[in-house]
Amino acid sequence: MKKFASYEAFLNDLEKNTGYQVYDERTDSSGVKTPYIVCGRLQDNNIVADNTVLVAKDIVDVLLFTVQSNHVIKGQRTKAEAKVKEYLKGIGAIYDTDYDWIKNASLHKSSYTVEVWYV
C-alpha cells in the first residue's frame, strides 16, 4: 500500500493520476465539469499503542460523479470508473464500491471506500 505524506497529498496524487478535478467534501464543487471526484474522510483508523500513533490512516470515501442522460453502464461513466479503479489498484488500495443514480441531476455516482495510509 502506497503511503502519503497527508490527506491533501492523497487528493493531489489522485487528481494527477486520473486527470479529473478532485475536491474535498468541504469544498464547493458546484458548477464543475464532469467527471469530477469528491473525497471525504469518514474516520481515522489509526493503530495506537502506549498512547502513540504507530500507523496513521484514514477511511476515505472517493465519490466519482459523471453526467449521463440515463441510467446505463457505458460511455463517460465506464471510462472514468476504469481510471479511478486503475489508480486505486496501482497504489495497492483495497476498496468497496457502491453506485447510485441521481435522477434529478442526471448524474451517476460511483463510490469507492478506501483506506489511505500516511508516513
Side-chain angles (χ1 to χ4, degrees):
M1 175 72 180
K2 181 176 179 177
K3 294 183 180 181
F4 297 90
S6 64
Y7 171 68
E8 290 74 19
F10 168 71
L11 298 182
N12 290 334
D13 194 58
L14 177 61
E15 183 171 276
K16 179 180 131 193
N17 286 284
T18 61
Y20 302 132
Q21 294 175 307
V22 176
Y23 299 91
D24 178 73
E25 66 184 347
R26 298 165 293 187
T27 305
D28 179 16
S29 58
S30 60
V32 299
K33 183 180 174 190
T34 63
Y36 66 93
I37 298 171
V38 176
C39 293
R41 288 176 163 162
L42 299 178
Q43 68 183 38
D44 66 36
N45 201 21
N46 297 334
I47 298 174
V48 179
D50 297 328
N51 293 326
T52 303
V53 175
L54 299 176
V55 178
K57 53 186 178 168
D58 286 331
I59 303 296
V60 176
D61 209 9
V62 176
L63 307 172
L64 170 66
F65 292 92
T66 52
V67 68
Q68 55 189 65
S69 58
N70 54 26
H71 187 46
V72 295
I73 304 174
K74 64 180 181 178
Q76 185 186 57
R77 171 186 167 187
T78 53
K79 180 181 173 187
E81 286 175 349
K83 276 188 170 184
V84 172
K85 288 177 182 177
E86 179 181 323
Y87 171 76
L88 294 175
K89 288 176 186 174
I91 65 167
I94 298 171
Y95 56 90
D96 292 324
T97 309
D98 192 21
Y99 304 99
D100 194 16
W101 169 244
I102 306 167
K103 186 176 181 176
N104 63 339
S106 295
L107 283 176
H108 186 272
K109 178 175 76 172
S110 305
S111 175
Y112 307 91
T113 305
V114 300
E115 197 169 64
V116 177
W117 293 54
Y118 306 109
V119 285

